[in-house]
Amino acid sequence: MILELKNIEKSFGEKKVLTGVTFKAEGGKAFGLLGRNGAGKTTSIRILMDVFPANSGEVLIDGQPIDYNKIGIGYLPEERGLYPKKVIIDQLTYFAELKGMSRKAAVESIDYWLERLGMAEYRNKRLDTLSKGNQQKIQLITALAHNPDIIILDEPFSGLDPVNAMLLKDVVKEQIAKGKIVLFSSHQMSYIEEFCDSIAILNNGVVALHGDLHDIKRDYPRDRLVVKTEVPEAIIADFGSSCTVMESGDLLIRLADSSEKKATMTRLVENYDIDEVKVFEPSLNDIFVEHAGNATVEV
């Protein structure tokens, strides 16, 4: 299954929010939708979910206009949308029924997810008796209980401790393995880099970068080397201004041309005590900073 937003345009009054937004996400893979606040991520997600229409453009599944009666969407919002004074099983059942499930099927699915997420003991508790992290897990159940085809996770790891973050990672990996389309929107680049095969970076309503994350990294100029060593001072003295110290403590050597890689690696290994030398590959954070640009309005 392939989800595609194609040439999406959206304006609110005189303000144009999205301009020709196009990207694809595939089933069985995770997709990262990135951008600074105001870049257009939330507007794109709302159009995808049919919360409101685009001025023009299409949302397609396998090349055909999406049929929201046949394609289920699960959404975990950044801002919580549950009722703090209501009993957990009652409101989870209510939301599942809104998605078309029978009460019996809804309760069975919810009980499965409560057990899977270690939340069964809270089944008949009010939501406001739970910690922030546990409330996050209850919110997640609303996105998964109806077994959706597309799962949209907006800042899913917010408020989770390391143990619960690992549990959520396992759940996400299970959904990907089942062939679901999983769309992440997050500012936590480490999670996007861990999960996502492809990304789109929005900058002021325009797709600034889109594609396979591995290919994007490989397309960067391969004219820098990262060196791990116990003798950095000698190498710095040898390479002069072309050598700088990274935050990690490793050395970054900038080459005049990428064709110098092999010769420079050989020079380093033959003359210094080198633990590791490799071609520098930018992190997703580096890529995001380069392409995200500035944003001024929350959308």
Side-chain angles (χ1 to χ4, degrees), residues 23-282:
F23 60 79
K24 290 182 180 181
E26 297 183 32
K29 297 181 179 181
F31 179 88
L33 182 61
L34 310 176
R36 295 182 63 183
N37 293 334
K41 302 186 304 298
T42 301
T43 300
S44 298
I45 288 171
R46 288 174 178 168
I47 290 171
L48 164 58
M49 294 176 60
D50 200 32
V51 174
F52 49 63
N55 296 117
S56 62
E58 300 176 285
V59 180
L60 307 174
I61 292 289
D62 294 333
Q64 300 298 318
I66 186 170
D67 184 343
Y68 291 100
N69 294 315
K70 296 180 178 179
I71 300 296
I73 298 177
Y75 178 46
L76 175 68
E78 180 178 6
E79 300 296 331
R80 303 299 157 252
L82 299 180
Y83 301 102
K85 304 297 183 183
K86 297 294 184 180
V87 173
I88 286 168
I89 184 62
D90 292 343
Q91 58 180 313
L92 287 178
T93 303
Y94 168 71
F95 281 113
E97 288 181 305
L98 287 180
K99 295 292 187 178
M101 300 186 79
S102 70
R103 177 170 291 269
K104 182 176 182 294
V107 171
E108 289 177 355
S109 179
I110 290 162
D111 280 338
Y112 165 79
W113 281 110
L114 286 170
E115 186 69 33
R116 176 71 178 84
L117 296 175
M119 299 296 292
E121 65 183 287
Y122 303 108
R123 184 183 191 272
N124 297 304
K125 302 288 188 181
R126 286 189 350 188
L127 186 71
D128 61 1
T129 64
L130 275 58
S131 67
K132 181 179 178 182
N134 282 338
Q135 289 186 32
Q136 173 80 333
K137 291 197 285 185
I138 296 300
Q139 182 87 52
L140 177 64
I141 293 174
T142 68
L144 299 177
H146 59 293
N147 192 29
D149 305 289
I150 301 169
I151 301 168
I152 302 170
L153 304 174
D154 194 349
E155 298 294 353
F157 296 96
S158 175
L160 297 183
D161 60 46
V163 173
N164 281 321
M166 185 62 68
L167 178 60
L168 177 55
K169 287 181 183 181
D170 290 341
V171 168
V172 170
K173 289 174 182 176
E174 289 170 5
Q175 297 302 305
I176 294 170
K178 290 179 179 179
K180 307 293 183 69
I181 293 174
V182 178
L183 191 153
F184 279 92
S185 178
S186 179
H187 291 116
Q188 295 176 284
M189 296 297 146
S190 59
Y191 290 121
I192 298 294
E193 196 154 16
E194 178 178 354
F195 281 106
C196 294
D197 300 279
S198 56
I199 62 168
I201 297 178
L202 296 180
N203 178 6
N204 291 326
V206 177
V207 176
L209 185 68
H210 173 225
D212 181 274
L213 183 54
H214 178 73
D215 291 342
I216 288 170
K217 289 184 175 184
R218 288 286 301 179
D219 285 343
Y220 269 69
R222 304 180 67 77
D223 58 358
R224 287 171 286 179
L225 300 178
V226 178
V227 182
K228 293 182 183 290
T229 179
E230 296 298 321
V231 289
E233 296 83 3
I235 297 175
I236 293 170
D238 186 2
F239 283 83
S241 61
S242 65
C243 181
T244 56
V245 181
M246 304 172 68
E247 289 185 8
S248 63
D250 298 336
L251 301 181
L252 181 68
I253 297 177
R254 188 177 297 274
L255 307 175
D257 189 86
S258 59
S259 63
E260 298 179 359
K261 288 197 302 288
K262 183 177 180 180
T264 305
M265 287 179 172
T266 300
R267 173 182 167 190
L268 287 163
V269 172
E270 289 181 349
N271 291 282
Y272 300 100
D273 181 11
I274 301 297
D275 295 323
E276 181 183 9
V277 58
K278 62 182 180 180
V279 175
F280 171 79
E281 186 175 83

